[in-house]
């Protein structure tokens, strides 16, 4: 029955097939007629054909072909892919063996090349991530929902300085594996901002570090043993009412702030992404355990930032791999990566490609004791082939330049970060962070600039556009030991604050705060226990000075206040705690330290004696009413007038000394400001002596040494070839030769040549005679022993005679040739002496 049905169906099928062909031909003819009616005017179009960027001749054989072990691995991967696609038809194909830059299939695990670079920064994960994100330019995936067909090797990516997220992750994972981290490349899905490196909705990392530092300072732990505060004697009811009102005001402000933030967040909310959950991305997973990593975390190679494994920016994982194996995620990613566990030793959650490779068992659940037989390691069936990638190398120049072209701009939320290579900007600028008030980044709030290699040791400058305040931070080693400078305008006698490295100064100055009428100085670790000085200035004095004088007119000093720490070597009533020089009132006040068991300190006040009109008269008139003393202990004896007089004299000297120190402080401020203005105009940079590419002095010195060495070699070569050098040495190497010296030099040179020619002829003649005599002796010996000699002795005799006759013939030829060439050499040397520039003027008439 089946055969009859098939025979009946065959003609029907042929008829239908013929009808379909005729109908197709008719439709094709109608299409051609319709298209013939359409006419267009063609213009000359130049097709731009991209030349291939890869030259295959530049790569080794590992790039252009596979080893037998790699081919076997590819067959394993193809079998694994076939089974995976058959079992999970609803999932996307795995990223297993993409093409490399030479068009050859390579397994993704063999594309990783664990490398530890000889740079301190590359030994930490954040340093590696920062370098990769800065050094490479991102190429978006096209289309964004599929992995790239080509996965470049890390060495090629470094040469091109660009790549996709898979190239970024591949390079970063290679560096992390070399640094000892348990790192894996992750192929999965992420939000649009992560895939396109859009950081406009994220806070700048520099701002986050600054906020964390400020919070740590505020939350400083209180000391356990501290002085209890004084008892609060205010009404509790009134305080409660006041707190309630303040809480209501704060609640209203908080509500208003939350509403404002909500409106701003709604305004900043990006439009819905139609490809949400479909955008393919590749990042790096670092598992806990190695390098003292406490917990698992992700690293986005495009931005160089770290994220927790439960971050909502990552929506799913297809597979992960390292240089040893490949794992496929079998867990449900319906709710993102929040519920994923990374126990790669669990085959239910992670399906592995190669059996028997090391699998980190990180999350071991509670279970009973395992038998010894089960604890034995399973034998390895197949080892991963070694990486086919060339050695990853980064030159010091590339490490220093970092960004492509030496510049990089990153836009953050209300901030813009600019990075520059060292020595690229004339002033040594390497980083500029600009913060804005609005989301559109049109109103500048603050500008922070970071510098390197400046001769003035400037490291950071902060400019607040709202208040106009500028803060400059300096490193150690600067003149005057300046640490930071806060000012409005760089003009003397204006509001400013200067901090200093107190340990680097002889006076121990730590801070100087100055306004138009006051100056406050703080000191540390001074031998005289001074820690505070406050100066109150009056109106500027009118001082007659020449028109061309550069000396500034000093301000009048009204009051100087100095405070001192406790000196335990003195009793409290003799240890001064505070000195007040009331210069305008002609008074001096002293306050002594308080005893531990007292609440009131002793004090003393002096009235300065009137100054004499005669400047030569330095005597001081003292009367008892010029001193007022208060002693806490009434039983103590009052000080004598002589002691008070001597105290007054010393105080007058200290007042003059304090006034001089204040003037020196004013002069120092002017010097610092003048120096800073000059430094900003010149802004020279320091160059290491080891940086021969930029150090002009070092390069000039090296070139000079090389030139001198080359000239010395030429001089030695000329000296070795100079036939007159031995004779000039005997004569003391005179700079100028006289006629007599030239004739003597000629005579000695010719005599020496003549003697050497005769000696050579005698040597040849002596050898000739020696060979002849030995031959005659041998012939005599042969004649005497001819009857008793064997055939071997005769053969040896004949051979000896032949060799000796050959040597005698050669010596005769050499002697005859030497006799013919000796006169020619003599004449040639004589001609050479006549043409020698040192002898030519003296031998012209010879």
């Amino acid at each position: 029955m089946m055969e009859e049905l098939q025979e009946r169906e065959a003609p029907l099928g042929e008829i239908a097939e013929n009808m379909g062909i005729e109908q197709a031909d008719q439709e094709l003819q109608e299409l051609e007629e319709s298209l013939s009616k359409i006419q267009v005017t063609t213009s000359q179009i130049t097709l731009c054909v991209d030349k291939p960027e890869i030259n295959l001749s530049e790569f080794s054989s590992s790039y252009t072909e596979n080893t037998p072990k790699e081919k076997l691995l590819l067959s394993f991967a193809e079998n694994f892919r076939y089974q995976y696609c058959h079992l999970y038809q609803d999932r996307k194909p795995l990223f297993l063996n993409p093409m490399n830059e030479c068009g050859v299939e390579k397994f993704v695990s063999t594309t990783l090349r664990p490398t530890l670079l000889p740079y301190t920064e590359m030994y930490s994960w954040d340093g590696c991530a920062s370098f990769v994100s800065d050094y490479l330019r991102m190429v978006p995936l096209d289309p964004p929902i599929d992995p790239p067909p080509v996965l470049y090797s890390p060495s090629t990516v470094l040469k091109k300085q660009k790549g996709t997220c898979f190239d970024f992750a591949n390079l970063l994972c290679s560096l992390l594996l070399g640094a000892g981290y348990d790192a894996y490349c992750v192929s999965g899905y992420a939000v649009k901002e992560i895939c396109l490196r859009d950081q406009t909705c994220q806070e700048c990392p520099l701002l986050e570090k600054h906020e964390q530092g400020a919070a740590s300072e505020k939350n400083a732990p209180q000391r356990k043993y501290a002085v209890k505060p004084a008892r609060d004697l205010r009404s509790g009811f009134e305080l409660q009412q006041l707190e309630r009102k303040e809480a209501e005001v704060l609640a209203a402000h908080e509500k208003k702030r939350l509403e404002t933030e909500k409106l701003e967040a709604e305004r900043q909310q990006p439009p819905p992404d139609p490809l949400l959950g479909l955008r393919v991305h590749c990042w790096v997973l670092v598992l806990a355990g190695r390098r003292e990593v406490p917990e698992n975390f992700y690293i986005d190679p495009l931005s160089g930032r770290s994220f927790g494994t439960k971050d909502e920016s990552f929506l799913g994982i297809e597979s992960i791999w390292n240089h040893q194996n490949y794992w496929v995620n079998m867990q449900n990613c319906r709710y993102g990566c929040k519920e994923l566990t990374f126990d790669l030793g669990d085959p239910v959650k992670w399906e592995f490609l190669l059996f028997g490779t090391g699998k980190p068992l990180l999350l071991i659940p509670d279970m009973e004791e395992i038998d010894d037989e089960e604890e034995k390691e399973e034998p390895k069936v197949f080892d991963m082939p070694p990486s086919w990638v060339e050695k990853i190398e980064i030159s010091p120049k590339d490490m220093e330049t970092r960004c492509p072209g030496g510049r990089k701009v990153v836009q953050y939320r209300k901030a813009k970060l600019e990075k520059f290579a060292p020595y690229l900007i004339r002033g040594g600028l390497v980083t500029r962070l600009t913060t804005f008030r609005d989301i559109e980044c049109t109103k500048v709030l603050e500008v922070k600039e970071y510098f390197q290699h400046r001769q003035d040791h400037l490291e950071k400058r902060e400019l607040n556009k709202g208040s106009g305040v500028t803060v400059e931070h300096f490193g150690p080693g600067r003149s005057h030991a300046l640490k930071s400078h806060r000012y409005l305008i760089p003009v003397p006698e204006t509001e400013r604050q200067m901090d200093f490295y107190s340990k680097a100064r002889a006076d121990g100055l730590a801070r100087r705060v100055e306004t138009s009428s006051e100056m406050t100085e703080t000191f540390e670790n001074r031998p005289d226990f001074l820690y505070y000085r406050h100066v109150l200035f009056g109106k500027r004095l009118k001082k007659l000075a020449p028109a061309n004088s550069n000396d500034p007119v000093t301000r009048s000093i009204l009051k100087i206040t100095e405070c001192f720490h406790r000196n335990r070597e003195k009793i409290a009533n003799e240890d001064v705690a505070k000195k007040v020089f009331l210069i305008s009132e002609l008074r001096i006040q002293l306050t002594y330290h308080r005893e531990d068991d007292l609440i009131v300190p002793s004090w003393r006040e002096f009235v300065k004696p009137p100054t004499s009109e005669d400047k030569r008269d330095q005597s001081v008139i003292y009367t008892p009413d010029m001193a007022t003393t208060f002693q806490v202990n009434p039983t103590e004896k009052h000080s004598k007038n002589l002691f008070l007089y001597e105290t007054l004299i010393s105080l007058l000297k200290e007042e003059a000394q304090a006034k001089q120190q204040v003037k020196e402080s004013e002069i120092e401020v002017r010097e610092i400001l003048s120096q800073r203005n000059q430094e900003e105009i010149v802004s020279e940079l320091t160059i290491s002596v080891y940086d021969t590419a930029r150090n002009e002095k070092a390069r000039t010195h090296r070139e000079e040494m090389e030139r001198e060495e080359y000239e010395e070699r030429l001089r030695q070569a000329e000296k070795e070839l100079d036939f007159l050098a031995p004779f000039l040495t005997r004569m003391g190497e005179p700079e100028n030769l006289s006629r007599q010296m030239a004739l003597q030099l000629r005579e000695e040179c010719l005599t020496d040549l003549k003697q050497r020619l005769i000696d050579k002829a005698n040597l040849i003649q002596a050898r000739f005679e020696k060979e002849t005599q030995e031959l005659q002796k041998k012939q005599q010996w042969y004649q005497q022993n001819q009857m008793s000699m064997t055939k071997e002795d005769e053969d040896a005799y004949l051979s000896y005679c032949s060799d000796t006759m050959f040597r005698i013939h050669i010596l005769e030829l050499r002697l005859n040739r030497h006799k013919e060439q000796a006169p020619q050499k003599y004449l040639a040397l004589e001609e050479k002496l006549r043409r020698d520039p040192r002898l030519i003027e003296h031998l012209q008439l010879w």
Side-chain angles (χ1 to χ4, degrees), residues 54 56 59 62-66 74 78 81 94-111 147-154 156-157 160 164 166-167 170 388-389:
I54 302 299
L56 298 182
F59 296 94
S62 62
Y63 282 71
T64 57
E65 59 185 23
N66 288 317
L74 291 176
E78 189 62 29
R81 184 205 307 274
L94 295 175
F95 188 71
L96 281 171
N97 48 347
M99 298 288 182
N100 67 351
E101 52 265 41
C102 298
V104 180
E105 281 192 21
K106 294 289 184 178
F107 190 65
V108 288
S109 295
T110 60
T111 310
V150 178
L151 181 62
Y152 292 90
S153 64
T156 304
V157 172
K160 296 174 58 178
T164 63
F166 284 80
D167 299 323
N170 196 33
W388 53 271
V389 180

Side-chain angles (χ1 to χ4, degrees), residues 231-249:
R231 186 178 180 183
D232 193 357
L233 302 178
R234 293 177 296 176
S235 171
F237 177 75
E238 293 179 354
L239 291 176
Q240 186 178 2
Q241 295 296 323
L242 183 61
E243 290 177 359
R244 183 178 299 176
K245 291 182 180 180
E246 291 178 353
E248 292 177 357
V249 173

